[in-house]
Amino acid sequence: MEKVVIIGTGCAGLTAAVYTARANLAPLVLAGPMPGGLLTTTSIVENYPGFPEGIDGYELMTRMQKQAERFGARVKYGTVEAADLSGTPLVLTVDGEKVETQTLIIASGAGHRHLGLESEHKLETRGVTYCATCDGALPMFRNQPLVVVGGGDSACEEATYLTRFGSIVYLIHRRDTLRASKIMADRVLANPKIKPIWDSVVTDIHDVAQNKVTGVRVKNLKTNAESEIACVGLFIAIGHVPNTQVFKGQVDMDDNGYVRTRRGTETNIPGVFVAGDCHDSVYRQAITAAGEGCAAAIDCERHLAALNA
Ligand code: NAP
């Protein structure tokens, strides 16, 4: 039986791994469908302390994993398909295999929110994408009109990044002010290659019949006027949904699926702790996720010490 299993290899999971490994608990760290978490899809992280020139998101996560492994963390690739947290030990099913553990740190992060259009689903990877860093440099997007949806830091970061490749980048946002931090918003508004389309939503994506993106239908929410924008790429950056479905009905969560905490990082289940974006709907930063990972590791270590006292 494991002493500690950590679900997630984002900032929260890997920081929890560094701390529990250094406490000689030899954590088993499960990397789900996106090893390294969402930060691996960010180009440059400029606000993680200690890197005055910024650091590539993928590199930051690779370094965190190496740091955790150096102290004895074991990273295993696998998806948690089911969890039985009703007794002792806690039991997970990971790619068909049972894993038993005394404690669990849920740091499973969050996935991309979708617009919910049928055409979005059909054209995913055919010009519809959720990651400019991953896909922006593809030849199909070079010197062509591109569209980004959203008004937060992600949308601003994606739009700015895409100006390297596209002929013009339309930023479609459902309100007339950006939610993004001031520095990111100012950068976008000062960029001559970015054209904001305010108070508007994408209602359809063309052209499913051709199996590629050729444009979007846009509705102005103030006037109800509809228009078409020709583009070859649609980059959707409208926030995230916590990856907590597998714990539904066992771990307390709010209506949006964010895990609720009691004292510190404790959940309603003894021995189960939570950290990072699957719990935090407010701050959602790399550094706050890392901080919560540290706190969860300390809470977990104290729980195990009390059990064995
Ligand atoms: P976010 O801050 O939640 O912003 C989501 C945006 O999408 C909002 O502007 C929202 O509109 C819009 N939106 C949500 N649902 C929509 C829908 N169904 N249709 C159309 N628009 C919709 O998400 P985020 O930009 O991904 O950022 C998440 C967190 O990561 C934030 O804390 C952010 O600061 C952080 N982040 C930081 C950096 C960085 O510092 N380098 C980079 C990326 C992200 P409303 O504004 O109307 O709600």
Side-chain angles (χ1 to χ4, degrees):
M1 178 167 51
E2 302 290 339
K3 289 193 182 110
V4 184
V5 171
I6 298 167
I7 301 176
T9 49
C11 281
L14 288 176
T15 305
V18 169
Y19 273 77
T20 48
R22 284 174 57 84
N24 271 345
L25 296 172
L28 175 66
V29 191
L30 299 172
M34 190 182 265
L38 278 180
L39 212 64
T40 55
T41 65
T42 299
S43 49
I44 185 107
V45 182
E46 291 180 328
N47 50 12
Y48 198 88
F51 300 95
E53 314 303 330
I55 180 165
D56 177 80
Y58 182 81
E59 191 189 340
L60 179 62
M61 300 321 299
T62 306
R63 286 195 195 193
M64 276 193 202
Q65 180 168 331
K66 274 192 192 150
Q67 191 177 356
E69 286 172 335
R70 184 179 147 216
F71 296 110
R74 292 159 298 138
V75 177
K76 178 179 162 156
Y77 296 90
T79 301
V80 178
E81 296 155 339
D84 179 356
L85 310 180
S86 59
T88 314
L90 306 161
V91 184
L92 303 173
T93 308
V94 183
D95 289 344
E97 277 178 32
K98 300 277 180 217
V99 176
E100 295 185 345
T101 181
Q102 280 185 283
T103 63
L104 176 66
I105 297 177
I106 302 172
S108 47
H112 298 290
R113 177 175 287 130
H114 293 204
L115 290 173
L117 302 170
E118 206 180 318
S119 47
E120 171 191 17
H121 178 59
K122 289 191 168 150
L123 292 170
E124 194 170 336
T125 74
R126 309 271 166 194
V128 172
T129 146
Y130 301 85
C131 179
T133 321
C134 321
D135 301 328
L138 291 174
M140 66 194 272
F141 298 133
R142 302 270 170 145
N143 301 313
Q144 298 289 333
L146 304 173
V147 166
V148 174
V149 184
D153 280 330
S154 298
C156 288
E157 188 175 73
E158 304 243 313
T160 305
Y161 180 73
L162 288 171
T163 57
R164 298 186 200 178
F165 310 109
S167 54
I168 180 166
V169 178
Y170 297 97
L171 179 64
I172 300 178
H173 182 35
R174 63 185 179 183
R175 294 186 295 121
D176 62 1
T177 45
L178 295 170
R179 168 183 299 280
S181 53
K182 192 166 171 2
I183 187 167
M184 304 276 258
D186 287 350
R187 223 176 261 174
V188 158
L189 299 175
N191 192 320
K193 278 183 86 176
I194 300 176
K195 183 170 166 30
I197 312 273
W198 302 117
D199 301 310
S200 298
V201 292
V202 171
T203 55
D204 201 7
I205 307 161
H206 309 305
D207 182 11
V208 172
Q210 290 185 60
N211 206 19
K212 65 177 186 182
V213 172
T214 59
V216 290
R217 188 159 183 80
V218 178
K219 181 176 172 183
N220 183 300
L221 295 172
K222 284 198 171 149
T223 63
N224 279 334
E226 300 217 15
S227 58
E228 306 279 341
I229 294 177
C231 65
V232 303
L234 176 64
F235 294 78
I236 299 167
I238 59 169
H240 302 94
V241 180
N243 296 324
T244 55
Q245 295 82 342
V246 79
F247 304 110
K248 225 171 200 159
Q250 299 185 76
V251 176
D252 265 1
M253 41 186 94
D254 69 14
D255 293 344
N256 296 316
Y258 289 95
V259 173
R260 287 203 173 102
T261 50
R262 299 195 163 182
R263 221 173 24 162
T265 64
E266 286 175 12
T267 68
N268 58 310
I269 300 176
V272 179
F273 305 87
V274 68
D277 284 7
C278 60
H279 139 76
D280 170 23
S281 62
V282 179
Y283 302 107
R284 296 181 296 185
Q285 304 297 305
I287 188 67
T288 50
E292 286 192 354
C294 162
I298 292 172
D299 288 345
C300 181
E301 192 187 336
R302 289 182 181 160
H303 176 86
L304 282 168
L307 280 185
N308 300 325

